[in-house]
Amino acid sequence: MTRTAPQPRIAIVDDDAQVRQTLSALLEQSGYRAIACADSAAFHALGDPPAIELALIDLRLRGESGLMLAIHIREKYNLPIVMLTGVGDEIDKIIGLETGADDYLIKPFNPRELVARIRAVLRRYGHGAVTPPATGHEIGFGDKRVDLQKRELQDATGNEIPLTNAEYRLLDYFVRNPGRIIPRPELLEELGSDTERYLDRTIDVLILRLRRKIEPIPSKPVHLQTRRAQGYIFVLDGRRA
């Protein structure tokens, strides 16, 4: 008798009972195990750490907001987060990514798109076919390095420099593609964002925050350089490319 792989468990945190029911049915049909939570308290009751593989959170929960819940999750756990909202405000999108959300979808959404986004996020966290780096697990630039196994940015002494998940994902993509001009749409795609809904401002915010953490002088970047009307280029040795 062969054993099947365990179903990834996904917590649905939404204060709308009908939404929880609909999402639970969708995820169960797609091969996941859904765990419905009406609020943040119900999510916290899942344990420490919660026995789940991904959290699907409504941004505007009653009580503790989905935003605060995402912040608490990111502070304590290496847990994928996909956020949902009925508000199409650009600021909400930026905040969602800044707090460490892995992806963001606006209600109403296409069910197939939601499942595809969840699968993509889970793959990035190792739940699925993910190919590890062929050689080595560190990439250095200046006096810093990215540990690809630990998913960390480290300073010269090996101490971690905190990054949100979105910041890390952009940096990881840059250091794996050095010396190549990368246009904004490609960066948005790497974040898993819908380019029709996420505007350039999302990338601008993340780039500014990254530069503050990796550049000797953020206003004069030597690693994460801008190419006007083209995109960005990452230079490992800090020279003008």
Side-chain angles (χ1 to χ4, degrees), residues 210-227:
L210 263 182
R211 282 174 172 164
R212 290 173 188 153
K213 297 177 180 182
I214 69 174
E215 299 286 359
I217 304 175
S219 61
K220 299 179 180 179
V222 295
H223 296 293
L224 183 42
Q225 301 176 16
T226 301
R227 291 294 180 268

Side-chain angles (χ1 to χ4, degrees), residues 77-93:
Y77 314 117
N78 184 33
L79 182 68
I81 300 170
V82 175
M83 302 200 77
L84 300 175
T85 183
V87 180
D89 185 75
E90 181 190 351
I91 299 301
D92 279 348
K93 300 171 192 175

Side-chain angles (χ1 to χ4, degrees), residues 44-108:
H44 292 308
L46 296 178
D48 185 11
I52 61 173
E53 279 67 57
L54 183 143
L56 182 62
I57 304 172
D58 182 29
L59 181 64
R60 297 184 180 276
L61 292 173
R62 298 187 184 94
E64 181 186 37
S65 70
L67 187 62
M68 291 307 301
L69 177 59
I71 291 173
H72 293 160
I73 290 173
R74 187 58 66 218
E75 287 176 346
K76 296 187 66 176
Y77 314 117
N78 184 33
L79 182 68
I81 300 170
V82 175
M83 302 200 77
L84 300 175
T85 183
V87 180
D89 185 75
E90 181 190 351
I91 299 301
D92 279 348
K93 300 171 192 175
I94 294 172
I95 290 174
L97 289 175
E98 285 298 288
T99 55
D102 294 275
D103 209 343
Y104 202 109
L105 211 60
I106 297 174
K107 301 176 184 177

Side-chain angles (χ1 to χ4, degrees), residues 79-149:
L79 182 68
I81 300 170
V82 175
M83 302 200 77
L84 300 175
T85 183
V87 180
D89 185 75
E90 181 190 351
I91 299 301
D92 279 348
K93 300 171 192 175
I94 294 172
I95 290 174
L97 289 175
E98 285 298 288
T99 55
D102 294 275
D103 209 343
Y104 202 109
L105 211 60
I106 297 174
K107 301 176 184 177
F109 48 80
N110 184 303
R112 290 184 180 180
E113 181 182 5
L114 175 61
V115 172
R117 298 278 190 97
I118 288 173
R119 284 177 178 161
V121 171
L122 286 172
R123 281 198 302 269
R124 290 196 289 266
Y125 277 75
H127 301 287
V130 175
T131 304
T135 57
H137 65 273
E138 292 185 352
I139 299 177
F141 61 94
D143 62 350
K144 298 176 178 65
R145 64 179 182 269
V146 178
D147 189 313
L148 302 174
Q149 290 184 343

